[in-house]
């Protein structure tokens, strides 16, 4: 199935970005509001991203896509020096205290990512210092059609997301269902204000029937579709949450649009 057409200006290329320590750290990350406890056996590819200097404090979510590579959002790593990240891989919240914090060798963000402008190419890859035995998630080759149902998951906060303040944290990974919207329905400037959404690299979703959405705690987490075998394929990386309480919409960086960048950047990271 071909990738759903996006507005003109989409870019598929990306290169390894040399991060500068002076860059400002990202805005708060996102997670699940009105979700429910997930069966973690289906989500052992989940990653909790932290700073090396504060390894016990979760910063963002992510997903293991290769034994030595995980995916997250660009805004989770911009301004962090190479090797300044650690990760907890394949562990649910109750197991975090005892789980190893895996060092990283380097990371890269989408070529055109500039949070002062919009969320274009809000995607990052991180190379782990030690390959992991946890299952990896397969990547979707096409965006889910408008109107289709997807699943989102996150470790972050569970309180209402507007304003974006973390009040309540979950005991275990949360998940919920979402419906895919058109860009006009879900990505307008009245919904995503700071930064605005960049349509060609963003897929927007809204809760199916319970107003569930993302809130502070786990940007970089996955938007997932079920494959024919009942497993998951990842179609998006959580980038944006609504700046307005009505509607509560989430914006995800499109993995099919970023496919070439992902393949090229894995090679670059492994050359470090």
């Amino acid at each position: 199935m071909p990738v759903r057409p996006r507005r003109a200006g989409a870019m598929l290329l990306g290169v390894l970005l040399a991060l500068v320590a002076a860059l400002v750290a990202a805005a708060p990350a996102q997670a699940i509001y009105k979700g429910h406890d997930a069966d973690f056996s289906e989500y052992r590819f989940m990653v909790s991203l932290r700073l090396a200097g504060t390894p016990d404090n979760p910063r963002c979510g992510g997903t293991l896509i290769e034994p030595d590579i995980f995916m997250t959002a660009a805004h989770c790593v911009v301004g962090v020096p190479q090797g300044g990240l650690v990760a907890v891989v394949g562990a649910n919240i109750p197991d975090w205290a005892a789980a190893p914090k895996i060092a990283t060798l380097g990371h890269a963000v989408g070529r055109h990512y500039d949070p002062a402008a919009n969320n274009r190419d809000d995607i990052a890859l991180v190379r782990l210092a030690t390959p992991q035995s946890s299952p990896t998630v397969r990547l979707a080759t096409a965006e889910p059609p408008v109107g289709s149902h997807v699943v989102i998951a996150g470790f972050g906060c569970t309180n209402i997301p507007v304003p974006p303040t973390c009040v309540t944290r979950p005991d275990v990974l949360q998940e919920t269902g979402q419906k895919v919207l058109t860009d006009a329905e879900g990505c307008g400037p009245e919904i995503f204000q700071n930064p605005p959404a960049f349509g060609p690299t963003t897929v927007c979703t809204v809760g199916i029937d319970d107003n569930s959405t993302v809130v502070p705690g786990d940007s970089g987490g996955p938007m997932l579709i079920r494959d024919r075998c009942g497993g998951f394929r990842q179609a998006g990386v959580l980038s944006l949450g609504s700046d307005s309480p009505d509607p509560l919409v989430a914006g995800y960086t499109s993995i099919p649009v970023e496919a070439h960048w992902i393949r090229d950047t894995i090679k670059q990271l492994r050359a470090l």
Side-chain angles (χ1 to χ4, degrees):
M1 186 173 71
V3 174
R4 174 166 59 93
R6 314 297 292 176
R7 291 196 292 269
M11 292 292 180
L12 303 181
L13 300 178
V15 297
L16 188 65
L17 180 66
L19 296 176
V20 180
L23 288 174
V24 176
Q30 311 292 327
I32 308 300
Y33 165 66
K34 286 192 175 181
H36 55 270
D37 294 355
D39 177 359
F40 197 75
S41 66
E42 292 192 291
Y43 291 95
R44 292 181 56 218
F45 51 78
M46 290 293 293
V47 174
S48 175
L49 172 66
R50 294 99 184 277
L51 297 177
T54 53
D56 294 323
N57 296 331
R59 178 178 176 87
C60 281
T63 50
L64 193 69
I65 64 169
E66 297 278 345
D68 61 334
I69 302 286
F70 72 90
M71 181 184 299
T72 188
H75 73 257
C76 293
V77 304
V78 165
V80 180
Q82 298 293 330
L85 301 167
V86 297
V88 173
V89 180
N92 207 350
I93 294 172
D95 303 316
W96 280 358
K101 280 64 175 180
I102 311 301
T104 64
L105 298 176
H107 51 272
V109 306
R111 179 181 182 182
H112 299 102
Y113 180 66
D114 178 5
N118 51 44
N119 75 319
R120 182 179 185 178
D121 300 332
D122 188 5
I123 187 171
L125 296 182
V126 186
R127 184 184 176 195
L128 295 164
T130 307
Q132 300 297 294
S133 59
S134 294
T136 58
V137 64
R138 291 181 292 177
L139 303 183
T141 58
E143 291 181 2
V146 171
S148 64
H149 290 182
V150 297
V151 176
I152 62 174
F155 291 119
C157 300
T158 58
N159 52 276
I160 192 167
V162 181
T165 302
C166 184
V167 177
T168 308
R169 295 187 179 275
D171 296 322
V172 296
L173 178 72
Q174 299 292 293
E175 67 176 1
T176 191
Q178 299 273 287
K179 181 178 71 173
V180 178
L181 302 174
T182 65
D183 290 347
E185 289 176 301
C187 290
E190 70 281 0
I191 297 172
F192 297 129
Q193 300 160 12
N194 186 25
F198 182 72
T201 64
T202 304
V203 178
C204 295
T205 70
V206 69
I208 294 171
D209 55 11
D210 58 2
N211 213 25
S212 61
T213 191
V214 297
V215 290
D218 211 22
S219 282
M223 177 181 71
L224 302 158
I225 56 178
R226 290 281 185 185
D227 62 23
R228 294 178 180 178
C229 299
F232 285 128
R233 288 184 182 268
Q234 186 175 351
V237 177
L238 180 54
S239 173
L240 294 173
S242 294
D243 293 303
S244 170
D246 185 23
L248 292 173
V249 178
Y252 290 80
T253 301
S254 170
I255 286 175
V257 169
E258 303 285 358
H260 294 299
W261 178 86
I262 292 169
R263 287 193 294 268
D264 291 345
T265 304
I266 288 174
K267 294 177 182 177
Q268 293 170 6
L269 286 172
R270 286 176 172 162
L272 293 176

